[in-house]
Amino acid sequence: MTAVEVISGYKYYGKANDPNKKIVLNHLNMSVTRGSIYGLLGASGCGKTTLLSCIVGRKFLNDGEINVLGGTPGTAGSGVPGPRIGYMPQDIALVEEFTIKETIYYFGRIYGMSKEKIRERYKLLKHLLELPGDDRYVGNCSGGQQRRVSFAAAMVHEPELLILDEPTVGLDPLLREKIWQYLVETTSTSKMAVIITTHYIEEAKQAGFIGLMRNGILLAEDSPTNILERFSCTSLEEAFLNLCQKHGPSEEADRTTHQTATLRAIAGAQDLKKVIPALGTNEQKAKDGGGGGGGGGLFAEKRKPLTSTIKELVSFTSKRRMNALLSKNFLQMIRQPAGMVFLFLYPIFQLVSFYVAVGGNPKDLRLGIVNEELTNIRQCFNESLITTYYREDYDCDLYKVSCRFLEKLNRSVAIQEYYDTYEDAYRDARKGKILGFIHFSENFTESLQDVRDNVRDADDGSFHTSEIKVYLDKSDQQITFFIEKKLLQTYREFAESLMTDCRLPKQLANIPITFETPVYGTFDEEFTDFMAPGVVMTMIFFLATLITATIFITDRLEGVWDRTIVAGITALELLLAHIITQTSIMLLQCIEIILLATFLFDAQNQGSNITVVGLLMLLGFAGMLYGLLISIFCDAHSTANFMATGSFYPMIILCGILWPLEGMPQYLQYVAYCFPFTIPSIAVRNVLTKGWSITNSQVYMGYGAVGVWIISLLLLCLLGLKIKK
């Protein structure tokens, strides 16, 4: 009975109409019977690994057919990928944070085995493969030890079809012989079929059949004894060399079609070139409409429809398999101390840095003072100095009132640096030694009193010299805004004190505008209260993105993803396990952020914490999907980092955290509202500062915006998984 049958298998990489596309499998025919060992031999790059990937359902032929255990790999009910096969890839493809025992138990659980059965098989395989101690971490094992553990993981569930890609590389010769003996005994007493690739050509003599592969075709397929007899060789390596010489240069092999020539034709032909051209080229068969595979054309990639992919993704998972995936995720996380520190201390560090560094008043600013109405600035420090004299005729005389202004301008605003002349102060301001300077004219007080007493008759000169002139370096907008605000407050206090001393209503010093009790917020509203929602949401979103992309790319690069899929785990199960793990982490992060902001920094919260946490969790879920999308289309961590960072900064700049959306051009506002945390940030800000509930339109719109992003990213991920299948 046939376990694996490949009929005219054709696979290429590149575009169908590209004459330089790389043909990996060139109309290959292959047959593996149950209860036998099939040795697949060939140099690196000849297509062995691609062929095995097609057999286990991880890749699909462009043309031709593959039948595995009575079904087509990747179709419903075929069991492939799934527990019917055991797969040991060329890479180690194991979780380095697992111990050896945990590794075998992990694969046993995802294969659906009971604990008792796993324990029994582990005991047997540990003895057979001479595995290290149970508690040895895979990452601490040597390369040969890791390959033995990988072999055990493929064998633990006694599959119907065992596929081993270079299983004996780096193993002791005695152990290699022991493994071969076990495989021969197992296949002879059961219906298990074994496909094994190896660089040790001579050890393949123990296989029932061997296939000699070169440039995507099988040069020969027969028992080792028959091949040696027909080519009159004493070793398989010599027979393989003779076949390659008769087959011709590799360039010609790439242009030939399938190997319909049998071993007898190859052995009997003096020149293989007389046999192969008669078979026709790939291009000719394409013109003639040749090639099997159930339609779609020779160069049409056979892919499953999206509806089929979705049905498979939403298939129900077993509790045993999900527990195995969850234990893997949590153990990987717990056994990486640096990662744990990053996950739980980074949000704290980020939040503390934000509240400590942002929103505080600038300190230690240096502001120059040029007071020309004094011969010596020390006169201002004379405690007996009186700047206002109230007379019996209800009039009020002023004297050196510039000193009163400087008294109100305390060190909390700026450190005062005194200059004798305007030129000296201006020079230091140009050199950056001071932020700017205040200039009082020589007759400042007299002019101020003249304007007050003779407002109708005062000349322009009096108005000019009664002004306090301020010269600032306005290259730093935030600093100058602070100085201007403080100077205006100082002048108001200065003017009110003059009115009071002169027994006049102090309201005369105020402009006729009064800001009453705010509708929301307070008079002393901090800028951090405006920024905090956006900062927290961007942090949650991009932490989820970074962690998800890193985990999935790492698993794929190390082969763990493919090996788990071949074992029968669906993409949805992997994603669901990650969502559960990441959701647990995000919940803890949200709690620590809220507690820290509330109790340490006294952040205001007029609304419901549940509403805030719910929105943060949904946004984190969107971040996970974004990370998954990045991991689907990025093959390396560096590319993923570039993509994540490249999208991070535009979102931060345009989402309204750094500057109000109303200050942007209209078209840019529309763009900003499309980002994942622009509307949610507004919603959270309204909950925290205004106490609004989810029934308010601006709050539930935040939930709606995140929902749209989740659905969109999920569909893109499904499409990406289908394209990259």
Side-chain angles (χ1 to χ4, degrees):
M1 186 179 294
T2 302
V4 177
E5 186 175 19
V6 182
I7 303 172
S8 193
Y10 184 77
K11 176 71 178 176
Y12 62 83
Y13 294 122
K15 295 183 179 179
N17 57 358
D18 185 359
N20 296 318
K21 61 181 177 292
K22 181 175 177 57
I23 299 173
V24 185
L25 301 178
N26 204 345
H27 292 280
L28 179 143
N29 293 316
M30 175 183 177
S31 180
V32 181
T33 59
R34 292 178 183 263
S36 68
I37 300 176
Y38 187 102
L40 186 60
L41 308 180
S44 296
C46 70
K48 299 191 302 296
T49 299
T50 298
L51 175 60
L52 297 183
S53 296
C54 292
I55 291 174
V56 300
R58 289 302 293 145
K59 292 182 180 178
F60 295 92
L61 296 175
N62 297 98
D63 195 34
E65 295 180 3
I66 294 182
N67 293 305
V68 178
L69 302 176
T72 302
T75 59
S78 67
V80 180
R84 297 185 70 187
I85 61 174
Y87 177 52
M88 176 185 174
Q90 199 170 40
D91 298 324
I92 300 300
L94 298 175
V95 180
E96 293 189 353
E97 291 79 13
F98 274 1
T99 64
I100 291 174
K101 184 176 181 179
E102 288 169 346
T103 299
I104 305 305
Y105 272 70
Y106 166 72
F107 281 99
R109 287 200 296 270
I110 64 176
Y111 285 129
M113 299 171 63
S114 65
K115 287 184 178 180
E116 292 74 18
K117 186 63 177 178
I118 298 174
R119 188 182 302 113
E120 175 188 332
R121 290 291 295 169
Y122 176 60
K123 183 177 180 181
L124 184 151
L125 292 170
K126 182 179 180 181
H127 174 72
L128 170 70
L129 300 173
E130 301 176 10
L131 299 179
D134 294 353
D135 297 329
R136 174 83 69 87
Y137 287 109
V138 172
N140 295 335
C141 293
S142 66
Q145 291 172 332
Q146 289 178 341
R147 295 201 70 79
R148 280 182 269 160
V149 177
S150 180
F151 188 18
M155 285 284 295
V156 66
H157 61 303
E158 299 179 281
E160 297 177 55
L161 172 63
L162 179 63
I163 298 176
L164 307 172
D165 197 354
E166 306 286 357
T168 57
V169 171
L171 298 187
D172 178 78
L174 294 177
L175 183 57
R176 288 209 307 268
E177 181 62 30
K178 187 177 180 181
I179 291 173
W180 271 100
Q181 183 180 354
Y182 174 78
L183 292 176
V184 171
E185 291 176 357
T186 302
T187 53
S188 64
T189 58
S190 69
K191 294 183 179 180
M192 183 177 75
V194 178
I195 300 176
I196 183 170
T197 70
T198 178
H199 279 146
Y200 305 108
I201 295 180
E202 290 306 310
E203 75 175 3
K205 286 182 179 179
Q206 301 178 73
F209 279 83
I210 59 173
L212 301 178
M213 190 172 181
R214 187 177 188 227
N215 297 310
I217 66 173
L218 285 181
L219 301 180
E221 185 183 52
D222 207 333
S223 68
T225 303
N226 289 345
I227 288 179
L228 293 176
E229 288 179 355
R230 288 176 180 174
F231 287 94
S232 302
C233 296
T234 58
S235 68
L236 287 175
E237 189 168 358
E238 183 182 356
F240 194 12
L241 179 60
N242 289 342
L243 276 170
C244 291
Q245 290 173 343
K246 291 181 179 181
H247 185 243
S250 60
E251 291 80 8
E252 293 187 22
D254 285 338
R255 294 195 297 269
T256 60
T257 58
H258 58 86
Q259 78 291 2
T260 55
T262 62
L263 182 61
R264 294 180 184 275
I266 295 174
Q270 293 182 352
D271 189 349
L272 188 63
K273 297 177 183 178
K274 296 178 181 178
V275 179
I276 294 177
L279 303 177
T281 63
N282 291 328
E283 289 76 6
Q284 183 63 42
K285 293 186 80 65
K287 292 177 182 178
D288 296 340
L298 180 64
F299 298 103
E301 179 82 15
K302 293 174 64 178
R303 297 190 185 276
K304 295 178 288 184
L306 181 59
T307 53
S308 174
T309 303
I310 295 175
K311 287 180 181 178
E312 290 184 12
L313 287 174
V314 298
S315 61
F316 185 71
T317 182
S318 70
K319 181 179 179 181
R320 186 174 294 164
R321 298 200 310 185
M322 184 53 61
N323 285 340
L325 293 174
L326 289 175
S327 66
K328 165 187 170 292
N329 291 346
F330 281 110
L331 282 176
Q332 277 185 298
M333 179 177 63
I334 293 171
R335 289 175 180 170
Q336 292 183 350
M340 289 289 290
V341 170
F342 176 80
L343 286 177
F344 294 106
L345 292 188
Y346 175 77
I348 296 176
F349 173 77
Q350 186 90 339
L351 198 67
V352 170
S353 299
F354 167 70
Y355 273 106
V356 172
V358 177
N361 289 332
K363 297 179 177 61
D364 298 327
L365 302 176
R366 295 187 175 275
L367 194 63
I369 305 295
V370 179
N371 195 341
E372 294 183 352
E373 75 168 350
L374 300 176
T375 57
N376 191 334
I377 193 63
R378 292 183 179 179
Q379 296 177 29
C380 285
F381 305 134
N382 188 347
E383 295 181 359
S384 62
L385 178 65
I386 300 175
T387 56
T388 57
Y389 296 90
Y390 183 73
R391 300 202 306 258
E392 294 297 332
D393 58 357
Y394 303 105
D395 203 352
C396 186
D397 292 332
L398 305 180
Y399 178 73
K400 309 296 183 184
V401 292
S402 59
C403 291
R404 176 177 287 217
F405 181 87
L406 295 176
E407 179 188 355
K408 298 293 183 183
L409 187 68
N410 54 45
R411 290 180 61 89
S412 65
V413 178
I415 299 173
Q416 299 175 19
E417 299 283 350
Y418 301 103
Y419 293 87
D420 294 330
T421 65
Y422 167 92
E423 289 74 15
D424 292 341
Y426 188 82
R427 182 180 62 252
D428 278 3
R430 293 284 295 179
K431 292 180 178 180
K433 294 182 178 181
I434 55 176
L435 180 64
F437 61 95
I438 300 173
H439 180 226
F440 296 95
S441 300
E442 182 177 359
N443 52 349
F444 169 73
T445 301
E446 290 79 1
S447 298
L448 186 64
Q449 185 159 344
D450 182 40
V451 169
R452 186 199 66 181
D453 296 339
N454 306 295
V455 64
R456 292 182 180 274
D457 300 325
D459 56 21
D460 291 341
S462 295
F463 279 103
H464 181 70
T465 54
S466 66
E467 294 175 348
I468 302 174
K469 299 178 179 61
V470 182
Y471 301 85
L472 293 177
D473 174 6
K474 302 201 71 170
S475 59
D476 190 328
Q477 188 184 56
Q478 294 299 321
I479 295 292
T480 52
F481 276 174
F482 169 76
I483 289 294
E484 289 172 356
K485 177 183 176 181
K486 289 298 183 180
L487 288 177
L488 290 174
Q489 290 177 351
T490 300
Y491 181 81
R492 180 176 179 175
E493 294 173 4
F494 159 76
E496 286 181 349
S497 68
L498 287 182
M499 296 298 108
T500 301
D501 287 354
C502 291
R503 301 183 185 182
L504 295 172
K506 66 178 183 180
Q507 287 81 0
L508 289 175
N510 299 335
I511 59 174
I513 296 177
T514 301
F515 291 96
E516 300 293 349
T517 303
V519 178
Y520 290 108
T522 64
F523 284 114
D524 299 324
E525 199 74 17
E526 297 288 345
F527 187 60
T528 50
D529 293 329
F530 172 81
M531 287 189 64
V535 170
V536 171
M537 302 198 88
T538 55
M539 181 169 58
I540 292 292
F541 182 87
F542 281 104
L543 271 177
T545 298
L546 179 64
I547 293 169
T548 302
T550 300
I551 288 175
F552 282 130
I553 290 176
T554 299
D555 280 355
R556 191 169 68 242
L557 291 177
E558 294 179 353
V560 177
W561 173 281
D562 273 356
R563 188 164 192 170
T564 305
I565 294 292
V566 170
I569 299 296
T570 64
L572 181 63
E573 286 176 304
L574 287 170
L575 182 58
L576 182 59
H578 177 74
I579 288 173
I580 294 174
T581 308
Q582 185 65 18
T583 299
S584 304
I585 295 171
M586 284 193 303
L587 183 60
L588 293 175
Q589 289 174 336
C590 290
I591 292 174
E592 71 176 1
I593 286 172
I594 290 176
L595 291 177
L596 191 67
T598 302
F599 294 105
L600 184 60
F601 297 106
D602 197 26
Q604 62 171 315
N605 183 0
Q606 306 296 330
S608 169
N609 281 328
I610 295 177
T611 305
V612 174
V613 171
L615 198 49
L616 289 176
M617 296 294 289
L618 285 177
L619 193 67
F621 182 61
M624 278 189 271
L625 291 176
Y626 186 51
L628 176 61
L629 185 66
I630 290 175
S631 70
I632 290 172
F633 291 100
C634 295
D635 296 325
H637 290 294
S638 57
T639 310
N641 289 335
F642 290 148
M643 186 172 178
T645 305
S647 59
F648 174 78
Y649 283 104
M651 290 184 187
I652 288 292
I653 293 171
L654 297 178
C655 73
I657 297 176
L658 303 179
W659 198 257
L661 296 174
E662 292 77 7
M664 301 179 187
Q666 191 69 40
Y667 71 91
L668 204 55
Q669 291 185 37
Y670 294 136
V671 174
Y673 280 121
C674 295
F675 288 143
F677 36 77
T678 303
I679 298 178
S681 294
I682 296 173
V684 171
R685 189 179 300 120
N686 287 329
V687 172
L688 295 178
T689 60
K690 300 178 182 179
W692 288 356
S693 68
I694 196 172
T695 58
N696 188 282
S697 61
Q698 291 195 30
V699 177
Y700 65 67
M701 280 178 62
Y703 277 87
V706 177
V708 170
W709 266 93
I710 289 174
I711 294 172
S712 302
L713 288 170
L714 182 60
L715 292 176
L716 288 174
C717 288
L718 293 176
L719 182 62
L721 288 171
K722 178 181 181 298
I723 293 173
K724 300 287 283 188
K725 181 80 173 175

